[in-house]
Amino acid sequence: MPDKSQHFRRYILDSMPVALVTMDFNFKITSFNRKAEELTGFSASEAVGQLCSEILRSNKCENECPLQTVQESQEPATGLEAELTNHQGEKVPVRIGTTAIEDADGNFIGYMEIIEDISRFKEMEREKENFVSMVAHDMKSPIVIIGGFTKRLQKEPTCKDNDKIRKYLQAMDDAEHKLEFLIHEFLEHSRLDSNYLDLKRNDIDLADILKQIIGSHRQIIEEQEIDLQCDCQVIAPVNADAEYINRALTNLLSNALKYSPPKGKIVISARETDSEIVIRFQDQGKGIDPKELPYIFDAFYRGKSKNEKSGHGLGLASVKSIVRQHGGRVTVESTPGKGSLFTVRLPRKLNE
Ligand SMILES: Nc1ncnc2c1ncn2[C@@H]1O[C@H](COP(=O)(O)OP(=O)(O)O)[C@@H](O)[C@H]1O
Ligand SMILES: [Mg+2]
């Protein structure tokens, strides 16, 4: 019967946040923890006794087998990036660390591999690259417009056609605003990303802020014939930075509008509990795939629901940062095809 310390070792192995696999001299698997089962799709009973290349099927097995590297160099090998094909045939990017196992007398008794799933990290890298090319592209078009019209005006220095000149100047002005907005969004992201905001806290009236935000979206609400309801009960003032809170709530409303179909319904509500102010944005838009939910608050992340809609994937990252720095939290519940509910909770001003 396994003794207590064996059980303890098993619990440790199965609780490890990375896959851990041990092999004997012949590269046959001798143990396989729970994360290894999750990563490869093979159960421990299927894996133990098999050649590691049959189970840990990576693109490095043939020419850069980490076990052979360790065998030849007699040194641990760390940080090897590889692509593993799991039982279901899906490719998973991983980072592998390999070392020889020795007993108390220094005798070699096998190998150990630690395998870390780095798909999220790789995805973030891709998103960042996309973001850079997207920003470069979005910046280029207004610059081309400004440059083009400047040249036309230079070519016709004596032009007396005021309408034409006005048209050129209007187009240049629009392009300049676009550029300014983009640079502002980008700079703000780096400021929010540093996780330190210089909050100018005052007692603010949230119902008032919500009214202002709805007012500034009036045009799109009417154009899209959105049925927008705002159910704000009388709520106590919140000690917060009005401008930042305005920005966070604006982002939530503009997402609800952006990802709702025309004639969709959006309900905004604000309530207070003993300890919190709770603001909800409920839409009946596309909703979010449950697989995407853990990532939508990450900077640069844009989900499937984005379709052709413009954006840089920074809106929700800034909502999260702003709300957090006010001591609150933001959560989401969503059902694809049915809609999404974003909830912001801010601590109530405590009575002194
Ligand atoms: N109300 C919503 N309904 C459906 N999807 C949403 C909603 N809000 C956010 N999302 C998803 O979350 C992603 C991240 O949102 P955000 O950070 O505001 O970036 P952006 O709107 O620029 O794409 C979006 O790309 C979209 O897929
Ligand atoms: Mg957005």
Side-chain angles (χ1 to χ4, degrees), residues 17 31 70 75 98 102 136 350:
S31 79
V70 169
E75 293 279 337
T98 312
E102 294 176 350
L350 299 172

Side-chain angles (χ1 to χ4, degrees), residues 255-256 258-259 283 287-288 296 301-306 310-317 340 342:
N255 276 349
K258 188 154 85 168
Y259 300 114
D283 67 55
I288 303 162
I296 58 163
Y301 188 84
R302 303 205 70 208
K304 276 190 258 157
S305 52
K306 74 173 190 304
S310 64
H312 297 107
L314 294 177
L316 289 181
S340 311
F342 285 85

